[in-house]
Structure formats: structure tokens, C-alpha cells
Amino acid sequence: MSEREWDDNRTSTREHLMSVAETSKLLGCNQRFTLKLLRYGFLPYLAFGRSKRVIYSGFCRFLNDYQGKDIRAIISLREQEEDAPATLRAI
């Protein structure tokens, strides 16, 4: 399916839920990175058991909010914060 066809299919619905694989393909990254975006709250999603679905309108908002920013660097900082001992986080 071409990117244009994808856009045509999505605009006809009020809200669309995308799989992690679909989201990864649109972002041009692997699924592991997309799961990090979900974990750190960059992308809104619904969970159905172990399956996660990204909310399309939130995906669009993410693209607008982080346009031109290095998301990998931001996620790296969040990971470092998680790894820091609790006493250092309180400072």
C-alpha cells in the first residue's frame, strides 16, 4: 500500500488505531524504538492485553510537537533518569 493510499484510508474514519508495526513503518524506525515512544508517553495508545494500538490523532500531534527535534536524545535522557539511583533523582 502506498503512502498516499494509507492517507486516503485514514482520513475517512473519525479515529484510527494503528499497530506498533504500522506506526514503526510510518516513522521509519524499528518496533523496539516505537515501543520506547509508548513507554515514555510520547505516543498515546490503548492496550488490549499485550497488544498495543497507537491512537492516530495522538500520532499526528506527536509529529507536530517534535518536528525537528532529536527524539533519540530525549529518550536517552529518560533512560538515564530511570537508571539513576532514587537519591539522585530527588535532587
Side-chain angles (χ1 to χ4, degrees), residues 33-72:
F33 185 74
T34 300
L35 289 170
K36 284 184 181 183
L37 292 174
L38 300 180
R39 178 179 178 191
Y40 293 114
F42 289 99
L43 292 172
Y45 68 94
L46 297 174
F48 301 96
R50 290 179 43 173
S51 176
K52 294 175 174 58
R53 299 286 184 228
V54 177
I55 301 168
Y56 181 72
S57 60
F59 173 78
C60 292
R61 194 168 37 257
F62 165 79
L63 293 178
N64 288 326
D65 291 348
Y66 291 97
Q67 182 177 6
K69 297 179 182 168
D70 185 359
I71 298 301
R72 289 190 192 273

mmCIF file of all heavy atoms in Angstrom, residues 33-72:
data_model
loop_
_atom_site.group_PDB
_atom_site.id
_atom_site.type_symbol
_atom_site.label_atom_id
_atom_site.label_comp_id
_atom_site.label_asym_id
_atom_site.label_seq_id
_atom_site.Cartn_x
_atom_site.Cartn_y
_atom_site.Cartn_z
ATOM 1 N N PHE A 33 12.029 0.794 19.021
ATOM 2 C CA PHE A 33 12.050 2.233 19.273
ATOM 3 C C PHE A 33 10.626 2.772 19.457
ATOM 4 O O PHE A 33 10.370 3.594 20.330
ATOM 5 C CB PHE A 33 12.766 2.977 18.140
ATOM 6 C CG PHE A 33 12.913 4.437 18.407
ATOM 7 C CD1 PHE A 33 13.840 4.899 19.323
ATOM 8 C CD2 PHE A 33 12.110 5.355 17.759
ATOM 9 C CE1 PHE A 33 13.974 6.254 19.591
ATOM 10 C CE2 PHE A 33 12.239 6.710 18.017
ATOM 11 C CZ PHE A 33 13.174 7.162 18.934
ATOM 12 N N THR A 34 9.692 2.287 18.651
ATOM 13 C CA THR A 34 8.294 2.714 18.788
ATOM 14 C C THR A 34 7.765 2.333 20.164
ATOM 15 O O THR A 34 7.052 3.120 20.802
ATOM 16 C CB THR A 34 7.430 2.088 17.675
ATOM 17 O OG1 THR A 34 7.944 2.515 16.412
ATOM 18 C CG2 THR A 34 5.983 2.514 17.794
ATOM 19 N N LEU A 35 8.108 1.154 20.653
ATOM 20 C CA LEU A 35 7.674 0.744 21.993
ATOM 21 C C LEU A 35 8.263 1.657 23.074
ATOM 22 O O LEU A 35 7.612 1.930 24.085
ATOM 23 C CB LEU A 35 8.033 -0.716 22.250
ATOM 24 C CG LEU A 35 7.201 -1.722 21.448
ATOM 25 C CD1 LEU A 35 7.790 -3.124 21.568
ATOM 26 C CD2 LEU A 35 5.750 -1.700 21.890
ATOM 27 N N LYS A 36 9.470 2.156 22.850
ATOM 28 C CA LYS A 36 10.046 3.126 23.788
ATOM 29 C C LYS A 36 9.232 4.423 23.772
ATOM 30 O O LYS A 36 9.008 5.036 24.814
ATOM 31 C CB LYS A 36 11.496 3.425 23.439
ATOM 32 C CG LYS A 36 12.453 2.336 23.827
ATOM 33 C CD LYS A 36 13.884 2.739 23.530
ATOM 34 C CE LYS A 36 14.840 1.632 23.896
ATOM 35 N NZ LYS A 36 16.246 2.038 23.689
ATOM 36 N N LEU A 37 8.795 4.844 22.589
ATOM 37 C CA LEU A 37 7.961 6.046 22.495
ATOM 38 C C LEU A 37 6.670 5.868 23.284
ATOM 39 O O LEU A 37 6.193 6.800 23.940
ATOM 40 C CB LEU A 37 7.647 6.373 21.033
ATOM 41 C CG LEU A 37 8.818 6.830 20.162
ATOM 42 C CD1 LEU A 37 8.375 6.966 18.721
ATOM 43 C CD2 LEU A 37 9.412 8.124 20.678
ATOM 44 N N LEU A 38 6.122 4.682 23.250
ATOM 45 C CA LEU A 38 4.907 4.390 24.023
ATOM 46 C C LEU A 38 5.230 4.385 25.514
ATOM 47 O O LEU A 38 4.519 4.994 26.321
ATOM 48 C CB LEU A 38 4.325 3.030 23.622
ATOM 49 C CG LEU A 38 3.899 2.844 22.166
ATOM 50 C CD1 LEU A 38 3.354 1.448 21.953
ATOM 51 C CD2 LEU A 38 2.898 3.883 21.744
ATOM 52 N N ARG A 39 6.299 3.714 25.872
ATOM 53 C CA ARG A 39 6.680 3.565 27.282
ATOM 54 C C ARG A 39 6.896 4.913 27.960
ATOM 55 O O ARG A 39 6.511 5.109 29.114
ATOM 56 C CB ARG A 39 7.957 2.741 27.361
ATOM 57 C CG ARG A 39 8.478 2.566 28.756
ATOM 58 C CD ARG A 39 9.721 1.734 28.750
ATOM 59 N NE ARG A 39 10.256 1.606 30.089
ATOM 60 C CZ ARG A 39 11.426 1.111 30.366
ATOM 61 N NH1 ARG A 39 12.199 0.673 29.390
ATOM 62 N NH2 ARG A 39 11.847 1.035 31.598
ATOM 63 N N TYR A 40 7.530 5.838 27.260
ATOM 64 C CA TYR A 40 7.837 7.139 27.847
ATOM 65 C C TYR A 40 6.765 8.198 27.598
ATOM 66 O O TYR A 40 6.960 9.366 27.903
ATOM 67 C CB TYR A 40 9.201 7.622 27.365
ATOM 68 C CG TYR A 40 10.321 6.756 27.893
ATOM 69 C CD1 TYR A 40 11.084 5.977 27.047
ATOM 70 C CD2 TYR A 40 10.588 6.691 29.256
ATOM 71 C CE1 TYR A 40 12.095 5.166 27.539
ATOM 72 C CE2 TYR A 40 11.586 5.880 29.756
ATOM 73 C CZ TYR A 40 12.336 5.125 28.892
ATOM 74 O OH TYR A 40 13.322 4.315 29.391
ATOM 75 N N GLY A 41 5.639 7.774 27.046
ATOM 76 C CA GLY A 41 4.493 8.669 26.928
ATOM 77 C C GLY A 41 4.502 9.628 25.752
ATOM 78 O O GLY A 41 3.714 10.578 25.720
ATOM 79 N N PHE A 42 5.347 9.404 24.770
ATOM 80 C CA PHE A 42 5.370 10.271 23.606
ATOM 81 C C PHE A 42 4.175 10.021 22.688
ATOM 82 O O PHE A 42 3.698 10.939 22.028
ATOM 83 C CB PHE A 42 6.670 10.084 22.812
ATOM 84 C CG PHE A 42 7.870 10.645 23.498
ATOM 85 C CD1 PHE A 42 8.713 9.825 24.220
ATOM 86 C CD2 PHE A 42 8.156 11.994 23.433
ATOM 87 C CE1 PHE A 42 9.830 10.336 24.864
ATOM 88 C CE2 PHE A 42 9.261 12.518 24.071
ATOM 89 C CZ PHE A 42 10.096 11.687 24.791
ATOM 90 N N LEU A 43 3.741 8.777 22.626
ATOM 91 C CA LEU A 43 2.607 8.400 21.778
ATOM 92 C C LEU A 43 1.485 7.827 22.639
ATOM 93 O O LEU A 43 1.717 6.900 23.410
ATOM 94 C CB LEU A 43 3.026 7.343 20.752
ATOM 95 C CG LEU A 43 3.986 7.785 19.658
ATOM 96 C CD1 LEU A 43 4.453 6.577 18.850
ATOM 97 C CD2 LEU A 43 3.331 8.806 18.750
ATOM 98 N N PRO A 44 0.278 8.349 22.496
ATOM 99 C CA PRO A 44 -0.842 7.771 23.240
ATOM 100 C C PRO A 44 -1.262 6.438 22.604
ATOM 101 O O PRO A 44 -1.201 6.278 21.390
ATOM 102 C CB PRO A 44 -1.943 8.817 23.095
ATOM 103 C CG PRO A 44 -1.628 9.528 21.828
ATOM 104 C CD PRO A 44 -0.128 9.504 21.692
ATOM 105 N N TYR A 45 -1.657 5.505 23.454
ATOM 106 C CA TYR A 45 -2.040 4.194 22.942
ATOM 107 C C TYR A 45 -3.095 3.562 23.840
ATOM 108 O O TYR A 45 -3.313 3.989 24.972
ATOM 109 C CB TYR A 45 -0.822 3.278 22.833
ATOM 110 C CG TYR A 45 -0.218 2.878 24.160
ATOM 111 C CD1 TYR A 45 -0.596 1.692 24.777
ATOM 112 C CD2 TYR A 45 0.710 3.687 24.796
ATOM 113 C CE1 TYR A 45 -0.047 1.318 26.002
ATOM 114 C CE2 TYR A 45 1.267 3.324 26.010
ATOM 115 C CZ TYR A 45 0.875 2.141 26.606
ATOM 116 O OH TYR A 45 1.409 1.776 27.817
ATOM 117 N N LEU A 46 -3.713 2.541 23.301
ATOM 118 C CA LEU A 46 -4.630 1.688 24.056
ATOM 119 C C LEU A 46 -4.000 0.305 24.106
ATOM 120 O O LEU A 46 -3.417 -0.150 23.123
ATOM 121 C CB LEU A 46 -5.995 1.599 23.373
ATOM 122 C CG LEU A 46 -6.787 2.899 23.254
ATOM 123 C CD1 LEU A 46 -8.031 2.660 22.426
ATOM 124 C CD2 LEU A 46 -7.135 3.436 24.621
ATOM 125 N N ALA A 47 -4.105 -0.338 25.233
ATOM 126 C CA ALA A 47 -3.561 -1.687 25.373
ATOM 127 C C ALA A 47 -4.712 -2.686 25.433
ATOM 128 O O ALA A 47 -5.692 -2.472 26.138
ATOM 129 C CB ALA A 47 -2.712 -1.786 26.625
ATOM 130 N N PHE A 48 -4.571 -3.738 24.667
ATOM 131 C CA PHE A 48 -5.518 -4.843 24.675
ATOM 132 C C PHE A 48 -4.716 -6.084 25.046
ATOM 133 O O PHE A 48 -4.152 -6.743 24.178
ATOM 134 C CB PHE A 48 -6.173 -5.023 23.305
ATOM 135 C CG PHE A 48 -6.913 -3.810 22.828
ATOM 136 C CD1 PHE A 48 -6.308 -2.898 21.974
ATOM 137 C CD2 PHE A 48 -8.207 -3.565 23.251
ATOM 138 C CE1 PHE A 48 -6.986 -1.786 21.536
ATOM 139 C CE2 PHE A 48 -8.888 -2.450 22.823
ATOM 140 C CZ PHE A 48 -8.280 -1.561 21.962
ATOM 141 N N GLY A 49 -4.602 -6.336 26.349
ATOM 142 C CA GLY A 49 -3.717 -7.404 26.794
ATOM 143 C C GLY A 49 -2.289 -6.979 26.501
ATOM 144 O O GLY A 49 -1.866 -5.901 26.870
ATOM 145 N N ARG A 50 -1.555 -7.801 25.776
ATOM 146 C CA ARG A 50 -0.171 -7.458 25.417
ATOM 147 C C ARG A 50 -0.092 -6.618 24.152
ATOM 148 O O ARG A 50 0.948 -6.052 23.837
ATOM 149 C CB ARG A 50 0.632 -8.734 25.235
ATOM 150 C CG ARG A 50 0.876 -9.448 26.546
ATOM 151 C CD ARG A 50 1.643 -10.717 26.378
ATOM 152 N NE ARG A 50 2.755 -10.557 25.438
ATOM 153 C CZ ARG A 50 3.654 -11.472 25.209
ATOM 154 N NH1 ARG A 50 3.590 -12.619 25.843
ATOM 155 N NH2 ARG A 50 4.630 -11.274 24.350
ATOM 156 N N SER A 51 -1.182 -6.537 23.420
ATOM 157 C CA SER A 51 -1.210 -5.774 22.174
ATOM 158 C C SER A 51 -1.442 -4.294 22.460
ATOM 159 O O SER A 51 -2.285 -3.930 23.279
ATOM 160 C CB SER A 51 -2.330 -6.320 21.291
ATOM 161 O OG SER A 51 -2.453 -5.551 20.127
ATOM 162 N N LYS A 52 -0.701 -3.457 21.772
ATOM 163 C CA LYS A 52 -0.847 -2.014 21.926
ATOM 164 C C LYS A 52 -1.250 -1.405 20.590
ATOM 165 O O LYS A 52 -0.745 -1.802 19.546
ATOM 166 C CB LYS A 52 0.461 -1.390 22.402
ATOM 167 C CG LYS A 52 0.842 -1.826 23.806
ATOM 168 C CD LYS A 52 2.201 -1.280 24.185
ATOM 169 C CE LYS A 52 2.563 -1.554 25.611
ATOM 170 N NZ LYS A 52 2.588 -2.942 26.022
ATOM 171 N N ARG A 53 -2.157 -0.432 20.640
ATOM 172 C CA ARG A 53 -2.603 0.275 19.440
ATOM 173 C C ARG A 53 -2.399 1.765 19.643
ATOM 174 O O ARG A 53 -2.866 2.346 20.617
ATOM 175 C CB ARG A 53 -4.088 0.008 19.152
ATOM 176 C CG ARG A 53 -4.407 -1.441 18.901
ATOM 177 C CD ARG A 53 -3.914 -1.848 17.533
ATOM 178 N NE ARG A 53 -4.300 -3.217 17.245
ATOM 179 C CZ ARG A 53 -3.470 -4.117 16.770
ATOM 180 N NH1 ARG A 53 -2.234 -3.801 16.519
ATOM 181 N NH2 ARG A 53 -3.877 -5.327 16.537
ATOM 182 N N VAL A 54 -1.700 2.384 18.709
ATOM 183 C CA VAL A 54 -1.409 3.814 18.772
ATOM 184 C C VAL A 54 -2.608 4.583 18.224
ATOM 185 O O VAL A 54 -3.163 4.240 17.187
ATOM 186 C CB VAL A 54 -0.141 4.145 17.953
ATOM 187 C CG1 VAL A 54 0.131 5.638 17.938
ATOM 188 C CG2 VAL A 54 1.054 3.384 18.516
ATOM 189 N N ILE A 55 -2.981 5.641 18.938
ATOM 190 C CA ILE A 55 -4.109 6.475 18.534
ATOM 191 C C ILE A 55 -3.621 7.458 17.463
ATOM 192 O O ILE A 55 -2.672 8.212 17.687
ATOM 193 C CB ILE A 55 -4.702 7.209 19.747
ATOM 194 C CG1 ILE A 55 -5.152 6.179 20.786
ATOM 195 C CG2 ILE A 55 -5.838 8.129 19.327
ATOM 196 C CD1 ILE A 55 -5.499 6.762 22.138
ATOM 197 N N TYR A 56 -4.253 7.412 16.304
ATOM 198 C CA TYR A 56 -3.800 8.178 15.145
ATOM 199 C C TYR A 56 -3.705 9.681 15.415
ATOM 200 O O TYR A 56 -2.715 10.314 15.069
ATOM 201 C CB TYR A 56 -4.705 7.904 13.940
ATOM 202 C CG TYR A 56 -4.283 8.654 12.710
ATOM 203 C CD1 TYR A 56 -3.140 8.284 12.006
ATOM 204 C CD2 TYR A 56 -5.008 9.748 12.247
ATOM 205 C CE1 TYR A 56 -2.729 8.968 10.881
ATOM 206 C CE2 TYR A 56 -4.602 10.447 11.122
ATOM 207 C CZ TYR A 56 -3.473 10.046 10.448
ATOM 208 O OH TYR A 56 -3.066 10.740 9.337
ATOM 209 N N SER A 57 -4.707 10.259 16.068
ATOM 210 C CA SER A 57 -4.680 11.703 16.319
ATOM 211 C C SER A 57 -3.501 12.068 17.228
ATOM 212 O O SER A 57 -2.866 13.110 17.050
ATOM 213 C CB SER A 57 -5.996 12.187 16.923
ATOM 214 O OG SER A 57 -6.248 11.525 18.147
ATOM 215 N N GLY A 58 -3.183 11.210 18.173
ATOM 216 C CA GLY A 58 -2.023 11.431 19.037
ATOM 217 C C GLY A 58 -0.717 11.290 18.273
ATOM 218 O O GLY A 58 0.253 12.001 18.541
ATOM 219 N N PHE A 59 -0.706 10.381 17.319
ATOM 220 C CA PHE A 59 0.459 10.211 16.451
ATOM 221 C C PHE A 59 0.721 11.497 15.664
ATOM 222 O O PHE A 59 1.855 11.976 15.594
ATOM 223 C CB PHE A 59 0.229 9.019 15.509
ATOM 224 C CG PHE A 59 1.284 8.847 14.464
ATOM 225 C CD1 PHE A 59 2.503 8.279 14.788
ATOM 226 C CD2 PHE A 59 1.055 9.236 13.162
ATOM 227 C CE1 PHE A 59 3.484 8.110 13.819
ATOM 228 C CE2 PHE A 59 2.021 9.068 12.191
ATOM 229 C CZ PHE A 59 3.245 8.502 12.516
ATOM 230 N N CYS A 60 -0.335 12.067 15.108
ATOM 231 C CA CYS A 60 -0.212 13.323 14.351
ATOM 232 C C CYS A 60 0.271 14.460 15.257
ATOM 233 O O CYS A 60 1.115 15.260 14.863
ATOM 234 C CB CYS A 60 -1.544 13.692 13.705
ATOM 235 S SG CYS A 60 -2.042 12.557 12.401
ATOM 236 N N ARG A 61 -0.260 14.511 16.463
ATOM 237 C CA ARG A 61 0.149 15.528 17.439
ATOM 238 C C ARG A 61 1.638 15.368 17.778
ATOM 239 O O ARG A 61 2.376 16.342 17.860
ATOM 240 C CB ARG A 61 -0.718 15.429 18.686
ATOM 241 C CG ARG A 61 -0.630 16.587 19.618
ATOM 242 C CD ARG A 61 -1.721 16.597 20.699
ATOM 243 N NE ARG A 61 -2.116 15.304 21.232
ATOM 244 C CZ ARG A 61 -3.240 14.653 20.891
ATOM 245 N NH1 ARG A 61 -4.084 15.186 20.023
ATOM 246 N NH2 ARG A 61 -3.534 13.491 21.425
ATOM 247 N N PHE A 62 2.078 14.121 17.959
ATOM 248 C CA PHE A 62 3.480 13.829 18.221
ATOM 249 C C PHE A 62 4.364 14.367 17.093
ATOM 250 O O PHE A 62 5.388 15.008 17.345
ATOM 251 C CB PHE A 62 3.680 12.315 18.377
ATOM 252 C CG PHE A 62 5.098 11.861 18.299
ATOM 253 C CD1 PHE A 62 5.944 12.003 19.385
ATOM 254 C CD2 PHE A 62 5.592 11.279 17.141
ATOM 255 C CE1 PHE A 62 7.275 11.584 19.316
ATOM 256 C CE2 PHE A 62 6.907 10.847 17.064
ATOM 257 C CZ PHE A 62 7.747 11.009 18.162
ATOM 258 N N LEU A 63 3.964 14.121 15.845
ATOM 259 C CA LEU A 63 4.747 14.604 14.703
ATOM 260 C C LEU A 63 4.860 16.121 14.713
ATOM 261 O O LEU A 63 5.927 16.679 14.454
ATOM 262 C CB LEU A 63 4.134 14.122 13.384
ATOM 263 C CG LEU A 63 4.178 12.618 13.122
ATOM 264 C CD1 LEU A 63 3.486 12.301 11.811
ATOM 265 C CD2 LEU A 63 5.602 12.099 13.126
ATOM 266 N N ASN A 64 3.767 16.797 15.020
ATOM 267 C CA ASN A 64 3.786 18.267 15.069
ATOM 268 C C ASN A 64 4.618 18.782 16.237
ATOM 269 O O ASN A 64 5.400 19.716 16.083
ATOM 270 C CB ASN A 64 2.367 18.831 15.161
ATOM 271 C CG ASN A 64 1.620 18.696 13.871
ATOM 272 O OD1 ASN A 64 2.197 18.789 12.798
ATOM 273 N ND2 ASN A 64 0.325 18.466 13.958
ATOM 274 N N ASP A 65 4.466 18.175 17.401
ATOM 275 C CA ASP A 65 5.156 18.647 18.605
ATOM 276 C C ASP A 65 6.669 18.441 18.545
ATOM 277 O O ASP A 65 7.424 19.245 19.085
ATOM 278 C CB ASP A 65 4.619 17.942 19.859
ATOM 279 C CG ASP A 65 3.199 18.358 20.199
ATOM 280 O OD1 ASP A 65 2.692 19.338 19.617
ATOM 281 O OD2 ASP A 65 2.596 17.682 21.055
ATOM 282 N N TYR A 66 7.103 17.367 17.916
ATOM 283 C CA TYR A 66 8.525 17.030 17.940
ATOM 284 C C TYR A 66 9.208 17.192 16.588
ATOM 285 O O TYR A 66 10.324 16.720 16.398
ATOM 286 C CB TYR A 66 8.716 15.604 18.478
ATOM 287 C CG TYR A 66 8.386 15.542 19.942
ATOM 288 C CD1 TYR A 66 7.128 15.123 20.371
ATOM 289 C CD2 TYR A 66 9.306 15.940 20.903
ATOM 290 C CE1 TYR A 66 6.808 15.098 21.721
ATOM 291 C CE2 TYR A 66 8.999 15.912 22.242
ATOM 292 C CZ TYR A 66 7.746 15.497 22.645
ATOM 293 O OH TYR A 66 7.435 15.482 23.978
ATOM 294 N N GLN A 67 8.581 17.903 15.696
ATOM 295 C CA GLN A 67 9.173 18.145 14.388
ATOM 296 C C GLN A 67 10.508 18.873 14.551
ATOM 297 O O GLN A 67 10.604 19.889 15.249
ATOM 298 C CB GLN A 67 8.230 18.985 13.535
ATOM 299 C CG GLN A 67 8.721 19.245 12.152
ATOM 300 C CD GLN A 67 7.706 20.018 11.323
ATOM 301 O OE1 GLN A 67 6.681 20.461 11.816
ATOM 302 N NE2 GLN A 67 7.993 20.191 10.068
ATOM 303 N N GLY A 68 11.562 18.328 13.959
ATOM 304 C CA GLY A 68 12.880 18.939 14.009
ATOM 305 C C GLY A 68 13.676 18.653 15.272
ATOM 306 O O GLY A 68 14.796 19.138 15.416
ATOM 307 N N LYS A 69 13.114 17.877 16.199
ATOM 308 C CA LYS A 69 13.810 17.567 17.447
ATOM 309 C C LYS A 69 14.382 16.158 17.386
ATOM 310 O O LYS A 69 13.851 15.293 16.708
ATOM 311 C CB LYS A 69 12.858 17.700 18.634
ATOM 312 C CG LYS A 69 12.361 19.123 18.806
ATOM 313 C CD LYS A 69 11.423 19.249 19.948
ATOM 314 C CE LYS A 69 10.918 20.691 20.025
ATOM 315 N NZ LYS A 69 9.814 20.822 20.933
ATOM 316 N N ASP A 70 15.449 15.937 18.130
ATOM 317 C CA ASP A 70 16.094 14.627 18.172
ATOM 318 C C ASP A 70 15.460 13.784 19.271
ATOM 319 O O ASP A 70 15.815 13.892 20.443
ATOM 320 C CB ASP A 70 17.593 14.787 18.421
ATOM 321 C CG ASP A 70 18.346 13.467 18.354
ATOM 322 O OD1 ASP A 70 17.705 12.417 18.137
ATOM 323 O OD2 ASP A 70 19.572 13.495 18.519
ATOM 324 N N ILE A 71 14.520 12.960 18.896
ATOM 325 C CA ILE A 71 13.779 12.135 19.852
ATOM 326 C C ILE A 71 14.693 11.106 20.504
ATOM 327 O O ILE A 71 14.554 10.799 21.687
ATOM 328 C CB ILE A 71 12.584 11.436 19.158
ATOM 329 C CG1 ILE A 71 11.616 12.483 18.620
ATOM 330 C CG2 ILE A 71 11.872 10.486 20.104
ATOM 331 C CD1 ILE A 71 11.056 13.393 19.672
ATOM 332 N N ARG A 72 15.646 10.579 19.766
ATOM 333 C CA ARG A 72 16.555 9.583 20.353
ATOM 334 C C ARG A 72 17.316 10.175 21.534
ATOM 335 O O ARG A 72 17.516 9.505 22.544
ATOM 336 C CB ARG A 72 17.522 9.050 19.301
ATOM 337 C CG ARG A 72 16.830 8.166 18.285
ATOM 338 C CD ARG A 72 17.835 7.457 17.403
ATOM 339 N NE ARG A 72 17.171 6.840 16.281
ATOM 340 C CZ ARG A 72 16.636 5.631 16.300
ATOM 341 N NH1 ARG A 72 16.685 4.910 17.378
ATOM 342 N NH2 ARG A 72 16.041 5.142 15.227
#
